[in-house]
Amino acid sequence: MLLNAEPGKTYTVKEINTDDEEMNSFLFRLGCYVGEPITLISKKKKSCIVAIKDGRYNLDELLSSAIIV
Amino acid sequence: MRIAFAGNPNSGKTTMYNALTGRSEKVGNWGGVTVGSKEYPIKEEYTGGKEVVAVDLPGAYSMSPFTPEEGITSEYVRTANPDAIVNIVDATNLSRSLFFTTQLLELGIPVVVALNKSDINEKEGTKIDVKKLSEKLKCPVFETTSTEGKGLKDVISNAIELVGGGQSAPYVQADINLQNKAEVDAEDRKRFSFVNDIVANVEKREMLSSETTKSDKLDGVLTNPIAGILVFAAVMWAVFWVSQAWLGPLVADWLVGWIETFQEWVAGKLENSPAILSALLADGIVGGVGAVVGFLPLVMVMYFLIALLEDCGYMARVSAVMDPIFKRVGLSGKSVIPVVIGTGCGIPAIMACRTIRDERERRATSMLATFIPCGAKIPVIALFAGAFFAGAGWVSTLSYFFGLLLIFLGALLIKYITGYKYRKSFFIMELPKWKMPSLKFAFKSMMERAKAYIIKAATIILICNTVVQIMQTFDWHFNVVEEGAENTSILASIASPFAILLIPLGFGVWQLAAAAITGFIAKENVVGTLAVVYGLTAFIDVDELEMTGGANNVAMATGLTSVTALAYLFFNLYTPPCFAAIGAMNSEMKSRAWLWGAIGLQLGTGYTVAFLIHQFGTLFTEGHFGNAFIPGLIAVAIMATAVILIGRKTRAHFDEKYRLHRDGKSGAAA
């Protein structure tokens, strides 16, 4: 899970499971899909900041726990 | 001929559109500022004299929309047949942007790619081989910097040249069954790998995006649940303080001096004319409008500061840090942006709700956003702060933070009424790169606002003041109302029935009722009407901020105590906004039930807040409840019962609906 990962490290997305088709495909269009790299920049208890391709995003707990790395 | 501007959110489309057309549409450093399409002719210096209309569209990541405003873009480029498309690409995020680019190239409409923000790439040492990129995409590519107007001429002249020529696509989607998810997925993957190949070929980076930078450390603090919220509170407090307690009033004092001089001059000129004419012109028009214009500097300073905040990139961080709190009451972090925009004007704030994906959250936000006092309410706040609280800065700060509290409480109430439905509410917000806010841009935004304010004062407010003045001067037989018989005027007889309803709130006189009613046309009218009905002007003290002549006059003439003054102020702040904002609410909510719900909620909130302040305030200061405590209590109890009944009904209905959808399984609605 992304929230258990170590900040500053780049991981490969293993699985994305939001139970929400539209959300999955939205993440896809940002470049966040299985096999692609994702970097955990920083994390808090209930949210984290990631780098996907050349953009930075803030994700909430729900979304970050749906991204398995 | 029409050229559409399409690209990812926050790639700089509107900045480019503004530079090309000379317009001042709203821009900001976060994704989702533009929520509707706009068009305007491009300046001739760019088109070589041809008539070309630029169409600015909301940002989109792809042709398949995720939020409502994205849908506007894909719909437009698909169905409106623009003659050419300028695809604005954020050059600092080429790898993401080109996905949409390859889709646009498939439409057969000539495309020119503008590699925008190329100045940032230069700073960061990222190099893009423009020539190679152009070959791979089979369309012209130019480096641009919209904020400085660089490269725009090339983009437009090439787009004009290509019109009518069609477009060959570098990547064509295979003939797949679009209903089949697996096939679509596989196809989209192929498209992305095509894009990745291009990027690997044309882009050289000195700094990898995965490296942690100083700005990441700053973001870490700003999105920290404790530090981030404290910083936000401090920033907003500073904005209110500077605009409404320090710099704003300083300039306003000076301005009011001039307005008074002008009014005296007009009165002097009218010395020999009939008293009615002089009253109408000097007191009604110049006095009433002047009272409103006097507060203009406060609004201008406020706009300037908010523009700086919007331009630097802070809004996305605020949205991120507030998300957990807003989620708890059934809204989302995206609801923060309408709230901050709402400090300027409620209409763009309500429109900004379009970026919220969930319908219930979207409607709830547009219903609640106007609890934050807008620019038009600043004169009202400043008047009461000056007249009853010695110009204390805490009045305005309290007004805003209390508005925020009402948003939270209102959100909980809406959650209760609509029934809590378990639905995953995800939050994802792009954190744009920090940017030094442009003073020029903030100045422009401020002047734009000042212009709108003055126009409003010279039209709607002028007319309202004139009408109020006439209605106050005459009775129903069109005889001039005599001194001492003011209660026989047309205005008094219309406003009196409403005033009765306001007795439990401590301000049940027709003058104050009339001012509150004209406030629905435009909130500045509250100030204008008070000036007219009480024959007062120059609300802000000319010499210093302490309570002096003008201020005492207001307090004495209105007969309000500081408790009832606060109740009246809050009543005006939290009852429904002006009609224009209600119209915006109607078009965003697309539901009569929600609209009436919103108006009811706002009326109920304004009434209840004023009732509680007046009654308990009086209890504390004078040891007994205020006037008409019992009737007011009954009114509030009726409203509370209505909320409970409506809530029961909708939730019962909601349970049924839920069961139908889920084959009789009882839903999680409780």
Side-chain angles (χ1 to χ4, degrees):
Chain A
M1 229 160 61
L2 200 55
L3 275 182
N4 300 331
E6 204 179 308
K9 281 199 173 160
T10 302
Y11 297 86
T12 304
V13 177
K14 282 210 188 99
E15 195 190 327
I16 289 182
N17 204 350
T18 61
D19 282 335
D20 178 341
E21 269 320 315
E22 278 179 52
M23 191 69 224
N24 283 353
S25 58
F26 181 72
L27 286 174
F28 180 91
R29 279 168 246 141
L30 300 179
C32 178
Y33 53 94
V34 177
E36 282 289 299
I38 182 169
T39 309
L40 185 65
I41 300 291
S42 66
K43 66 173 178 180
K44 320 229 152 43
K45 238 196 232 158
K46 287 193 166 175
S47 68
C48 64
I49 299 175
V50 294
I52 300 165
K53 292 203 173 266
D54 297 314
R56 293 270 195 279
Y57 303 87
N58 186 288
L59 311 180
D60 65 355
E61 194 182 14
L62 200 59
L63 195 51
S64 37
S65 54
I67 299 172
I68 315 291
V69 294
Chain B
M1 132 184 16
R2 276 174 318 145
I3 300 182
F5 286 61
N8 283 181
N10 207 30
S11 54
K13 294 171 294 298
T14 305
T15 309
M16 187 176 287
Y17 172 86
N18 283 346
L20 290 169
T21 61
R23 303 288 291 169
S24 326
E25 298 297 348
K26 189 172 180 59
V27 291
N29 189 12
W30 77 86
V33 180
T34 307
V35 291
S37 67
K38 294 188 181 80
E39 47 181 86
Y40 202 78
I42 297 178
K43 287 186 206 160
E44 291 198 348
E45 56 185 280
Y46 292 107
T47 62
K50 282 195 187 119
E51 199 173 298
V52 184
V53 173
V55 184
D56 187 26
L57 296 167
Y61 290 112
S62 77
M63 290 296 284
S64 352
F66 182 63
T67 47
E69 94 278 10
E70 263 192 292
I72 295 175
T73 302
S74 51
E75 167 94 19
Y76 185 90
V77 294
R78 264 204 197 102
T79 59
N81 292 318
D83 297 290
I85 296 173
V86 170
N87 171 220
I88 290 114
V89 163
D90 180 350
T92 66
N93 201 340
L94 195 63
S95 50
R96 182 190 69 204
S97 313
L98 290 185
F99 185 83
F100 187 37
T101 306
T102 58
Q103 289 184 324
L104 291 174
L105 285 164
E106 275 188 61
L107 297 169
I109 300 166
V111 175
V112 175
V113 169
L115 278 182
N116 205 22
K117 303 191 187 179
S118 51
D119 54 328
I120 301 180
N121 267 357
E122 220 165 278
K123 253 182 244 156
E124 291 183 350
T126 305
K127 288 206 175 69
I128 296 174
D129 188 335
V130 175
K131 206 171 147 238
K132 218 189 227 171
L133 181 62
S134 169
E135 278 164 19
K136 300 243 177 208
L137 293 177
K138 300 187 183 171
C139 76
V141 177
F142 297 97
E143 284 185 319
T144 58
T145 307
S146 291
T147 47
E148 294 163 23
K150 264 188 209 159
L152 304 190
K153 224 172 198 167
D154 293 327
V155 171
I156 296 305
S157 60
N158 271 274
I160 292 173
E161 220 166 89
L162 290 176
V163 166
Q167 175 71 50
S168 55
Y171 180 89
V172 183
Q173 183 165 295
D175 197 11
I176 55 161
N177 175 10
L178 292 170
Q179 306 289 326
N180 186 327
K181 194 189 159 293
E183 277 184 47
V184 174
D185 272 5
E187 186 56 34
D188 278 348
R189 277 168 170 281
K190 264 197 248 160
R191 187 188 294 275
F192 239 134
S193 65
F194 172 79
V195 167
N196 288 344
D197 280 346
I198 296 183
V199 176
N201 247 302
V202 301
E203 186 188 69
K204 271 203 191 82
R205 278 181 174 265
E206 249 171 45
M207 213 169 70
L208 289 176
S209 293
S210 53
E211 285 168 47
T212 311
T213 61
K214 263 190 212 153
S215 103
D216 288 321
K217 295 219 171 84
L218 177 63
D219 288 347
V221 176
L222 292 180
T223 56
N224 179 293
I226 296 163
I229 287 172
L230 287 177
V231 170
F232 177 54
V235 167
M236 290 321 281
W237 179 82
V239 169
F240 302 141
W241 186 77
V242 171
S243 62
Q244 289 165 51
W246 177 56
L247 188 60
L250 217 63
V251 188
D253 282 352
W254 170 83
L255 184 65
V256 166
W258 281 101
I259 294 172
E260 276 189 335
T261 315
F262 178 64
Q263 194 189 357
E264 276 162 29
W265 178 81
V266 173
K269 287 266 163 202
L270 294 169
E271 223 168 340
N272 299 323
S273 359
I276 300 169
L277 189 67
S278 133
L280 186 66
L281 278 179
D283 299 339
I285 296 181
V286 182
V289 173
V292 174
V293 172
F295 292 102
L296 177 61
L298 279 66
V299 181
M300 284 171 74
V301 174
M302 173 98 168
Y303 254 79
F304 184 81
L305 297 174
I306 296 283
L308 291 182
L309 283 186
E310 290 176 344
D311 196 28
C312 70
Y314 184 50
M315 298 288 273
R317 278 81 185 176
V318 175
S319 175
V321 74
M322 296 295 274
D323 178 62
I325 302 179
F326 272 68
K327 222 171 242 164
R328 215 167 280 174
V329 296
L331 300 175
S332 95
K334 295 228 167 162
S335 312
V336 181
I337 288 175
V339 170
V340 177
I341 293 177
T343 58
C345 177
I347 296 163
I350 291 163
M351 280 164 62
C353 297
R354 250 178 246 176
T355 60
I356 300 169
R357 184 183 165 218
D358 181 76
E359 191 178 54
R360 196 192 65 85
E361 285 174 12
R362 187 166 63 240
R363 285 171 168 172
T365 308
S366 60
M367 191 170 191
L368 299 167
T370 52
F371 277 138
I372 283 292
C374 68
K377 289 172 183 165
I378 290 178
V380 190
I381 299 173
L383 164 66
F384 280 84
F388 296 93
F389 303 98
W394 63 261
V395 179
S396 83
T397 310
L398 178 71
S399 304
Y400 289 98
F401 283 95
F402 195 70
L404 198 60
L405 179 73
L406 288 180
I407 290 178
F408 286 137
L409 296 178
L412 284 174
L413 196 65
I414 294 171
K415 199 166 140 182
Y416 165 79
I417 290 177
T418 54
Y420 180 68
K421 174 175 144 197
Y422 181 73
R423 183 188 191 283
K424 283 186 175 178
S425 175
F426 297 103
F427 177 77
I428 176 165
M429 184 84 190
E430 181 168 10
L431 301 178
K433 282 187 204 296
W434 287 97
K435 168 177 170 259
M436 196 61 193
S438 145
L439 294 179
K440 197 181 122 197
F441 158 72
F443 183 77
K444 223 174 129 185
S445 151
M446 175 181 83
M447 293 317 284
E448 197 66 25
R449 188 66 207 171
K451 199 173 116 193
Y453 190 96
I454 290 170
I455 290 174
K456 200 169 160 194
T459 54
I460 300 176
I461 292 164
L462 176 76
I463 293 169
C464 287
N465 279 335
T466 314
V467 171
V468 166
Q469 177 75 29
I470 292 172
M471 284 166 68
Q472 183 188 232
T473 311
F474 296 101
D475 63 16
W476 288 101
H477 303 290
F478 287 97
N479 296 321
V480 176
V481 171
E482 279 169 38
E483 213 163 310
E486 282 87 0
N487 290 345
T488 58
S489 72
I490 300 177
L491 187 69
S493 59
I494 292 179
S496 293
F498 293 100
I500 295 171
L501 296 175
L502 304 180
I503 292 174
L505 314 185
F507 40 84
V509 290
W510 65 265
Q511 290 93 334
L512 294 171
I517 295 167
T518 55
F520 291 118
I521 298 169
K523 286 291 167 182
E524 297 95 332
N525 268 334
V526 175
V527 171
T529 304
L530 285 180
V532 173
V533 294
Y534 289 119
L536 299 163
T537 43
F539 285 139
I540 293 192
D541 174 27
V542 185
D543 300 307
E544 47 190 54
L545 271 171
E546 283 177 30
M547 208 157 81
T548 57
N552 276 329
N553 281 342
V554 181
M556 253 161 44
T558 56
L560 293 170
T561 63
S562 48
V563 168
T564 46
L566 193 66
Y568 185 66
L569 170 65
F570 279 13
F571 179 77
N572 281 299
L573 294 184
Y574 308 126
T575 45
C578 62
F579 289 132
I582 293 176
M585 241 189 294
N586 181 34
S587 59
E588 290 308 312
M589 284 176 172
K590 297 187 177 74
S591 152
R592 274 291 130 109
W594 273 85
L595 181 70
W596 286 111
I599 295 171
L601 177 79
Q602 290 159 347
L603 271 175
T605 306
Y607 197 90
T608 309
V609 166
F611 173 73
L612 294 176
I613 291 179
H614 167 59
Q615 298 295 346
F616 286 95
T618 312
L619 184 65
F620 282 123
T621 53
E622 295 173 23
H624 58 84
F625 280 117
N627 291 338
F629 175 69
I630 301 293
L633 197 64
I634 293 171
V636 171
I638 291 173
M639 286 187 265
T641 316
V643 167
I644 293 169
L645 289 181
I646 295 170
R648 275 220 188 122
K649 206 176 137 199
T650 37
R651 272 172 299 142
H653 192 65
F654 176 80
D655 279 351
E656 269 167 39
K657 213 161 105 184
Y658 204 81
R659 279 196 201 98
L660 279 177
H661 282 267
R662 287 285 161 105
D663 309 322
K665 258 189 241 165
S666 80

